[in-house]
Amino acid sequence: MKRALKNIGSIFLAIIVLFSTFSFTVEQHFCGGELADYSLIGNLERCVMPETSHSNSKETSFDRVPCCQDSSEMIEGTNDELSIVNEHSVEKIQLLAAFVYSYVNLFEGLEEYIIPFKNYAPPLVVKDLPVLYDTFLI
C-alpha cells in the first residue's frame, strides 16, 4: 500500500511539473461579436460570411469593418527549473565534492568480520569439572 501510494504521488508530481512548464496557444474566432469557435490544439473552423457588394456605383464606399475576427493568445510556461540548474558556482561544486569524498571515506577501512580471539589457542581442559562434582545447571 505504501509503495503504491508513493508511485501515485510521484506520477502526480511529474504531471504537475510537466504542465507548469508546458506552453500552449488559445485561438478564438468571433463572428458578429460572439464567440463562434475556440481551439487549444487544432485549427479553428472559421465561418464564411457572404460579402455584400454595392451594385450602385454612385454610393460612397467606405472601408467596412469585417464582422469576423480571429484572436490568439499564447500562454507560456515557466522555465525556472532549467535556470536553477545552470547557476552553479565554483564554491558550490567544491563543497559538494568535499561532502561526497568525506561521506564515501567515512565507512572505508572497517572490516566486515572482526574476530578478537583469532590468534589465541583454546584453554586446555584436563578434567570435566561439572561432571566431576555433579553440579549441573537446570
Side-chain angles (χ1 to χ4, degrees):
M1 178 68 183
K2 187 175 181 181
R3 186 174 183 192
L5 190 62
K6 184 178 178 182
N7 287 341
I8 291 170
S10 63
I11 290 171
F12 179 70
L13 290 175
I15 289 172
I16 287 175
V17 170
L18 175 70
F19 283 114
S20 69
T21 59
F22 188 66
S23 300
F24 59 94
T25 303
V26 177
E27 295 182 4
Q28 299 173 345
H29 179 74
F30 293 97
C31 260
E34 294 183 15
L35 181 64
D37 193 16
Y38 68 93
S39 173
L40 295 174
I41 299 171
N43 295 329
L44 289 173
E45 292 182 19
R46 292 174 173 81
C47 63
V48 180
M49 297 292 283
E51 293 290 328
T52 57
S53 61
H54 295 287
S55 61
N56 191 355
S57 63
K58 293 181 181 177
E59 291 182 14
T60 308
S61 66
F62 293 104
D63 291 334
R64 294 184 48 194
V65 177
C67 65
C68 295
Q69 295 177 350
D70 291 331
S71 67
S72 64
E73 180 179 343
M74 183 170 183
I75 300 171
E76 295 198 21
T78 61
N79 291 329
D80 296 338
E81 292 83 14
L82 299 176
S83 63
I84 291 172
V85 173
N86 297 330
E87 294 179 1
H88 292 300
S89 64
V90 176
E91 292 84 13
K92 288 181 183 178
I93 294 172
Q94 287 177 349
L95 178 67
L96 180 66
F99 176 74
V100 169
Y101 179 76
S102 64
Y103 186 76
V104 167
N105 290 333
L106 180 66
F107 301 109
E108 191 174 297
L110 296 177
E111 297 178 11
E112 284 187 34
Y113 301 108
I114 300 172
I115 304 172
F117 52 86
K118 182 178 175 183
N119 298 325
Y120 298 106
L124 298 174
V125 178
V126 179
K127 299 176 186 176
D128 194 7
L129 296 177
V131 173
L132 183 65
Y133 295 112
D134 292 328
T135 55
F136 302 104
L137 294 175
I138 298 178

